[in-house]
Amino acid sequence: MVNIIKTAVITGGAKGIGLGIADYFLNSGMNVVAIDIDSEAGSECEAAYSSSGRFMFVQADVSDEDSVRGSVQNVATKFGGIDFLINNAGIANPVRKPLTELSLAEWNQIISVNLTGVFLMSKYCAPYLEKSSGAIINIASTRALQSEENTEPYSASKGGILSLTHSLAVSFSGRIRVNCISPGWIEVCQWQKMKDRVEPAHSRLDCEQHPAGRVGTPEDIASLAAFLVSDSAGFITGQNFVIDGGMTKKMIYE
């Protein structure tokens, strides 16, 4: 029996949660393609993973249609198809501003990367995913369900991902399963570019505000993503899974 190696495309896959998922999937025996706009981070990933023969870095802007179209074609040509798409690429407000001071350009940039990027990647990967009866995992955020002040474009983009997830699941019924993961506080400081890596430092209060007793890690997200793309999750589609250590369930009074 021939062992067919599955191919996963991970946007924002050169650092942070995306890199954690890429590392986990590689260790699970998959081919992994990290699509990221950060070429420096991508080069570091290539140096770390290229010896496996199952890793590919593609520099691309997920908010640009031509960039997405060409990248997906290159990936499919190299690996002969695409089995899984992890829509993880995202940006937040560089500086939180009151709504009255937020420019349309700032709003559009976040919506374009976080939400339009999911649309474009899903659109161009869909023909390959349909052939493989594959799966899409969209990475949203607990900010789709609750907010901090002055984060309107980020929260709106993540809320849009939740709705886009169940819409895609219905549209691709029987052909592609589509689910969503909404991370809470995930510590990614050790999953950055070399020059940006620092040791995590969490206070007792940081940990105790999570009923699970700790802050999350990229591995927490990656392990669920691996399950959701597997055959064991064949009856799961259109769902959102919150991974936040129980934080959004805990009432806090100041």
Side-chain angles (χ1 to χ4, degrees), residues 20-135:
I21 297 173
D23 182 83
Y24 194 100
F25 279 20
L26 275 169
N27 288 330
S28 299
M30 297 185 200
N31 296 320
V32 171
V33 180
I35 292 181
D36 205 297
I37 200 168
D38 191 330
S39 60
E40 182 181 11
S43 295
E44 290 183 6
C45 289
E46 286 182 318
Y49 297 118
S50 60
S51 62
S52 69
R54 293 182 286 104
F55 178 82
M56 178 183 183
F57 169 70
V58 177
Q59 184 181 21
D61 179 354
V62 297
S63 68
D64 181 87
E65 187 165 17
D66 290 337
S67 183
V68 168
R69 183 192 297 110
S71 299
V72 170
Q73 289 175 346
N74 289 339
V75 171
T77 298
K78 178 176 175 61
F79 290 110
I82 298 170
D83 298 284
F84 311 129
L85 169 62
I86 314 299
N87 282 310
N88 166 77
I91 57 175
N93 309 52
V95 178
R96 294 183 187 176
K97 296 180 179 180
L99 187 65
T100 53
E101 298 176 14
L102 188 72
S103 71
L104 180 59
E106 291 170 318
W107 167 275
N108 283 339
Q109 182 184 24
I110 293 173
I111 297 296
S112 293
V113 174
N114 294 8
L115 184 55
T116 303
V118 175
F119 156 67
L120 289 173
M121 286 299 303
S122 300
K123 174 182 177 178
Y124 286 101
C125 286
Y128 304 102
L129 295 170
E130 286 184 297
K131 289 180 181 178
S132 63
S133 297

Side-chain angles (χ1 to χ4, degrees), residues 154-190:
Y154 185 79
S155 296
S157 70
K158 295 302 184 178
I161 289 174
L162 296 193
S163 297
L164 183 56
T165 294
H166 60 68
S167 181
L168 290 172
V170 172
S171 295
F172 289 131
S173 294
R175 306 191 305 280
I176 304 170
R177 291 186 302 103
V178 187
N179 287 294
C180 184
I181 297 175
S182 290
W185 182 349
I186 305 298
E187 180 56 74
V188 297
C189 64
Q190 292 181 304

